[in-house]
Amino acid sequence: MGGPIGPPTPAALERSAVTTHAVVLGGGLAGMLAAAVLARHVDAVTVVDRDKLPDGPEFRKGVPQARHAHLLMSGGARVIERLLPGVTDRLLAEGAHRIGVPEQVVWLTAYGWQHRFPQTQFIISAGRPMLDWVVRDEVLRRHPHVATMPSTEALGPLGDANRIAGVRVRGAGTGETVDLEADLVVDATGRGSQLKRWLSALGLPPVEQDTVDAGIAYATRIFRAPEGARAFPLVNVLADHRVPRPGRNASLAPIEDGRWIVTLSGTRGAEPPTDEDGFAEFARSMRDPLIADLIAVAEPLTAVQGSRSSANRRLYYERLPAWPEGLVALGDAVAAFNPVYGHGMSVAAHSAAALDEGLAEAGLTAGATGRIQRAVGARADDAWLLAASQDLCYPNCRAEVNDPRLSPGVQAQRRSFSDLIGATALRDPAVSAAATKVTTLSEPISSLESPQVVTALRRAKGRPALSAPPLSDDERAVLRVGEPA
Ligand SMILES: Cc1cc2nc3c(=O)[nH]c(=O)nc-3n(C[C@H](O)[C@H](O)[C@H](O)COP(=O)(O)OP(=O)(O)OC[C@H]3O[C@@H](n4cnc5c(N)ncnc54)[C@H](O)[C@@H]3O)c2cc1C
């Protein structure tokens, strides 16, 4: 059993001289962004993570999803840039791609091929290990009062239902438990967060939870892009959720070092295989075979990796009748989404911004963390609604939800409006720009009901529908690599 001693970190050594200390549980994206925020509001920050935190773009066990494509939407990327000015340039210098949307995306949506209008938003495409490492490195380099405690597992909170006073941790190597005292504890331990159980052990009532599980499974393989195709557009071939059969999606994204990351996914009943031949066949079974044709001319660099933890799951911490002082949860620990929509990291960024705003407004005064938790819940709402309402369309989707907006009647109305937006966006630049703002989490869903968008919908003239992928001649030539001249 551990005693009430401070963390054995540089921050701890200065503890006697400081007045406020925050502990962040989890050094993933949400945790490191939270640390960047906290560095501005408290005197010392300790980030605890179960893993060794590598000094480079390496895969680690605690973020298993990092083997799959990770697209950072402009709505989240702008927030990360605000928290860590210059980080986008560093990501690009390390080999990330900035993809203009919709211009640099070859995109078969549910409604057809999207015209490649001039870009209005962007996506950062990079291997997740690199993205995490750059953010972690930038936070630690800029903020000497942020220290990490790697190979250390969070076991549970100290304190009571009224106030969290720290956290008990255990070193992986030593097995020794230590109590870290803190004025603020941030749970950013991801999908596997135990916070719900920890709070119940403190005597708080059960936390309300909604789950929408379309049974999405992922299969990913990394390829070397053919010569001349290193900056190929992002390619997305998506399911048509209006057809009552399991959905199949495929995406090919350029990442660092001239590689393509190809991720296939399917809802329950259409799970992609994880053997090499099955992977190629599944890619060919999409609504369009473009990605199968592209990987046929690329060199495989890895085996196929599978994954299944991808249900939409939302915990409504903000609805507890009383929230303990000194505690905030964010990132996947609060709301995790079907990754096909590419929103989890951006929601983590928006949640970190909510933490920043809340602390700037009220510091750690009474009631502040409760208000921050409500703001964190609100920042997850659009991504939740977009993902959950679409996934409910797939057969065999398992849902346990109380969200009234997902009841069949309201859902039908919502879907018909979003189908109208989606179908018009393909061919009309103004509607496409409005829709893209929402799908990149740059503007709220409610912005689609603005008079400007309604007028644009009415006036939409539209270009002719595309019957084939909108590739330039140079892009099309990539498909002929290896053919005799
Ligand atoms: C297959 C897949 C593909 C995805 N693709 C995208 C995408 O394209 N775009 C996008 O925006 N999002 C995507 N996501 C979602 C994205 O991965 C998450 O939203 C994001 O990682 C959330 O960050 P986080 O910091 O909350 O959690 P995580 O990144 O999971 O980090 C949690 C951290 O907590 C640590 N930890 C856990 N338990 C403990 C403990 N008890 N003690 C100490 N440390 C602990 C872990 O080691 C880890 O470092 C995808 C998810 C999946 C599953």
Side-chain angles (χ1 to χ4, degrees), residues 25-32 48-51 53 60-66 68-73 128 132 152-155 188-194 198 218 263 307 309-310 330-333 335-348:
L25 310 179
L29 192 72
M32 290 318 301
V48 172
D49 201 286
R50 255 198 312 230
D51 276 353
L53 297 170
R60 62 188 179 84
K61 212 169 122 208
V63 188
Q65 70 270 34
H68 303 281
H70 269 75
L71 302 174
L72 175 61
M73 301 294 153
R128 173 71 193 266
D132 273 7
T152 304
E153 183 180 13
L155 298 179
T189 53
R191 265 187 194 261
S193 164
Q194 297 297 310
W198 292 348
Y218 258 56
T263 288
S307 158
S309 67
S310 50
L330 40 80
D332 277 17
F337 315 99
N338 174 349
V340 164
Y341 308 104
H343 284 163
M345 297 190 298
S346 293
V347 170

Side-chain angles (χ1 to χ4, degrees), residues 117 207-208 231 239 245 281 295 340 364 444 449 464:
F117 298 125
V207 179
E208 285 179 47
R245 61 167 176 255
E281 266 171 48
I295 62 180
V340 164
L364 286 171
E449 287 159 21

Side-chain angles (χ1 to χ4, degrees), residues 57-99:
E58 286 163 38
F59 176 80
R60 62 188 179 84
K61 212 169 122 208
V63 188
Q65 70 270 34
R67 296 206 190 274
H68 303 281
H70 269 75
L71 302 174
L72 175 61
M73 301 294 153
S74 44
R78 284 192 204 97
V79 174
I80 298 178
E81 177 66 26
R82 261 203 318 275
L83 297 176
L84 296 168
V87 74
T88 316
D89 283 344
R90 165 99 191 267
L91 286 168
L92 298 179
E94 299 286 350
H97 292 249
R98 184 189 185 283
I99 293 166

Side-chain angles (χ1 to χ4, degrees), residues 186-235:
V186 174
D187 178 26
T189 53
R191 265 187 194 261
S193 164
Q194 297 297 310
L195 185 61
K196 193 171 80 158
R197 281 182 200 87
W198 292 348
L199 293 182
S200 137
L202 290 178
L204 282 159
V207 179
E208 285 179 47
Q209 174 173 330
D210 276 346
T211 310
V212 173
D213 181 5
I216 280 267
Y218 258 56
T220 293
R221 196 170 194 198
I222 294 178
F223 295 83
R224 181 167 315 290
E227 212 47 57
R230 297 193 153 205
F232 203 77
L234 170 66
V235 184

